[in-house]
């Protein structure tokens, strides 16, 4: 019998991603709301409302209501088997996907009581560009906890959990089946999806998609080289073929003879680069008499790479799609006309709503 794919919930790990590492390490979704006490006994929306009102007695009514609604979703709506999505801020080009393995608990994480659910993070490092733009828009919701349901999201996230690409917007055919032919249906009617989104992140995602479309394979090396030259480096790019593990060499001053001397490896992959790629580039530093190294991988890096890179922060940098596009923003006006023609961008201003 065909089953209905489980609902999808976005669960952020702190405003600045401060709980991301703990969440992935401990197999949890860990949310903020530190001022709100244990909700184990708060089984209804009314009970959660009272707990939040008591903990936030000086806060605005709208804020209290918004927090209470989110916490009730986390406390009571998310069930075992539901899909959990965590957009990563510390690895901002990636999204972690998993399935709920244990419902709400108020437990100690790193010496502090926290609101959690258990999660098996099946795919902890999916590149954001693996998602179609409409799903990136949903992942940009401002809320800490919200349901993602539009455009057949449940079936699409289920496919991505199995290692498949996002199949894109389409009618969820399973939703048209009569209830008697469905399994694993949510006990309540689906709540409306979040309607307030991070427009800056949405714009960044669109630009990232354009970069990815226009600068594939060796063309990404060309883009990285142009950015480095706009930053003041003299560069030399290796021809296609054997490159000794280094795509670009760069230096400062006339002819690039002045330090620091930099070697760059560029991986235009959708997947993540592992520690072997990272160690290979670091090993090439001696062969090229370089004091600095830059590893660029569009799809980002595994957690092991980030751990090793932290220890080598003084001489090695990592650029995922986010850092690459951010570097592009910073030097865009200095890029060659040919690059700007391939990627026409315009700076705009928008009013920030304090609320």
């Amino acid at each position: 019998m065909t089953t209905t794919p489980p609902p999808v919930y976005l669960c952020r790990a702190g405003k600045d991603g401060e709980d991301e590492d703990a969440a992935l390490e401990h197999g949890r979704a860990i949310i903020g709301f530190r001022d709100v006490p244990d909700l184990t006994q708060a089984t209804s929306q009314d009970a959660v409302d009272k707990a939040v009102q008591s903990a936030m007695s000086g806060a605005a009514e709208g804020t209290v209501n918004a927090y209470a609604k989110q916490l009730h979703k986390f406390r009571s709506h998310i069930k075992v088997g539901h899909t959990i999505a965590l957009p990563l801020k510390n690895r901002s080009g990636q999204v972690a996907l998993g399935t709920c393995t244990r419902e709400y608990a108020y437990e100690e994480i790193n010496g502090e009581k926290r609101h959690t659910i258990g999660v098996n993070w099946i795919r902890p490092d999916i590149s954001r560009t693996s998602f179609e733009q409409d799903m990136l828009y949903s992942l940009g919701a401002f809320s800490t906890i919200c349901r993602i349901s539009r455009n057949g999201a449940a079936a699409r996230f289920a496919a991505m959990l199995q290692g498949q690409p996002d199949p894109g917007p389409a009618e969820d055919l399973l939703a048209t089946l009569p209830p008697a032919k469905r399994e694993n249906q949510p006990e309540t009617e689906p709540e409306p999806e979040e309607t307030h989104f991070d427009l800056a992140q949405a714009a960044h995602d669109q630009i990232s998609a354009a970069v990815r479309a226009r600068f594939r394979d060796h063309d990404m090396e060309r883009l990285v080289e142009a950015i480095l030259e706009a930053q003041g480096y003299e560069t030399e790019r290796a021809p296609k073929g054997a490159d000794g593990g280094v795509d670009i060499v760069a230096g400062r001053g006339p002819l690039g003879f002045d330090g620091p001397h930099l070697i760059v490896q560029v991986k235009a992959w959708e997947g993540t680069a592992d520690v072997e790629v990272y160690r290979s580039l670091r090993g090439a530093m001696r062969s090229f008499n370089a004091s600095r190294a830059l590893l660029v991988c569009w799809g980002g890096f595994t957690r092991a790479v980030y751990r090793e890179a932290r220890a080598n922060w003084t001489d090695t940098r990592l650029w995922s799609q986010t850092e690459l596009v951010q570097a592009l923003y910073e030097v865009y006006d200095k890029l060659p006309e040919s690059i700007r023609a391939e990627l026409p961008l315009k700076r705009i201003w928008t009013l920030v709503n304090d609320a």
Side-chain angles (χ1 to χ4, degrees):
M1 180 181 292
T2 303
T3 62
T4 300
V8 181
Y9 283 89
L10 180 150
C11 296
R12 298 192 184 280
K15 181 179 179 181
D16 299 310
E18 58 269 22
D19 292 318
E20 290 174 0
D21 288 341
L24 296 174
E25 179 181 348
H26 294 286
R28 299 287 189 271
I30 306 171
I31 59 172
F33 306 99
R34 284 175 164 85
D35 294 336
V36 179
D38 184 6
L39 297 174
T40 302
Q41 303 304 318
T43 57
S44 67
Q45 180 69 70
D46 184 61
V48 174
D49 290 346
K50 291 177 180 178
V52 176
Q53 288 166 1
S54 176
M56 303 176 62
S57 58
E61 181 179 356
T63 299
V64 172
N65 290 339
Y67 280 21
K69 288 179 180 178
Q70 292 180 69
L71 281 165
H72 182 54
K73 286 187 178 72
F74 193 76
R75 164 61 184 85
S76 297
H77 288 209
I78 300 176
K79 305 295 184 181
V80 171
H82 288 185
T83 301
I84 308 300
L86 169 59
L88 299 171
K89 285 186 173 289
N90 294 326
R91 289 183 272 155
S92 52
Q94 296 179 340
V95 176
L97 286 187
T99 58
C100 176
T101 58
R102 177 195 42 74
E103 293 164 20
Y104 175 84
Y106 192 62
E107 61 177 333
E108 187 171 300
I109 300 290
N110 295 336
E112 182 183 3
K113 286 287 190 177
R114 304 299 303 277
H115 303 285
T116 74
I117 59 173
V119 180
N120 176 19
W121 295 111
I122 297 171
R123 298 194 65 191
D125 49 19
I126 303 177
S127 170
R128 288 184 67 91
T129 51
S130 297
F131 295 86
E132 295 292 330
Q133 186 60 47
D134 63 322
M135 283 299 101
L136 289 175
Y137 196 60
S138 292
L139 289 167
F142 275 124
S143 294
T144 299
I145 305 105
C146 69
R147 174 86 173 266
I148 299 178
S149 57
R150 63 163 54 92
N151 297 342
R156 294 165 65 180
F157 277 80
M160 297 190 77
L161 275 172
Q162 296 174 10
Q164 302 172 24
D166 180 357
E171 181 183 4
D172 187 354
L173 298 179
L174 288 170
T176 67
L177 294 174
K181 293 187 177 181
R182 303 185 205 171
E183 296 178 0
N184 303 325
Q185 295 182 85
E187 297 178 359
T188 59
E189 289 297 316
E191 63 267 24
E193 185 167 332
E194 172 69 63
T195 57
H196 296 89
F197 303 95
D198 187 338
L199 295 180
Q201 181 65 59
H204 176 82
D205 287 334
Q206 288 181 324
I207 293 169
S208 295
V211 171
R212 179 61 178 154
R214 290 164 173 76
F215 298 96
R216 290 185 174 275
D217 302 324
H218 291 287
D219 278 334
M220 191 165 288
E221 296 172 16
R222 179 168 60 89
L223 176 62
V224 172
E225 182 181 38
I227 291 172
L228 292 174
E229 290 177 347
Q231 291 177 340
Y233 283 97
E234 293 288 332
T235 68
E236 180 177 311
R237 181 156 45 103
K240 294 181 180 180
D243 54 22
V246 172
D247 295 312
I248 302 168
V249 293
R252 300 281 189 176
L255 302 179
F257 287 152
D258 297 343
H261 294 105
L262 174 71
I263 59 172
V264 185
Q265 178 73 300
V266 180
K267 301 293 187 185
W269 299 340
E270 289 287 356
T272 53
D274 61 21
V275 289
E276 296 306 316
V277 175
Y278 176 77
R279 292 169 182 170
S280 176
L281 179 62
R282 286 198 46 86
M285 291 172 70
R286 179 175 297 179
S287 301
F288 282 79
N289 195 29
S291 58
R292 303 288 189 271
L294 170 64
L295 178 58
V296 181
C297 182
W298 183 257
F301 309 90
T302 64
R303 292 178 65 198
V305 173
Y306 282 107
R307 283 195 296 268
E308 290 201 16
R310 181 175 176 80
N312 299 310
W313 188 84
T314 56
D315 61 19
T316 307
R317 289 289 185 271
L318 304 175
W319 279 6
S320 67
Q321 59 178 274
T322 300
E323 290 79 19
L324 173 58
V325 175
Q326 185 60 47
L328 183 149
Y329 294 155
E330 293 170 358
V331 299
Y332 183 77
D333 292 340
K334 299 179 182 179
L335 293 175
E337 288 187 11
S338 59
I339 297 286
R340 286 185 280 133
E342 291 178 83
L343 190 70
L345 301 179
K346 180 180 181 180
R347 190 189 304 271
I348 64 171
W349 295 94
T350 186
L351 185 65
V352 175
N353 187 338
D354 292 337

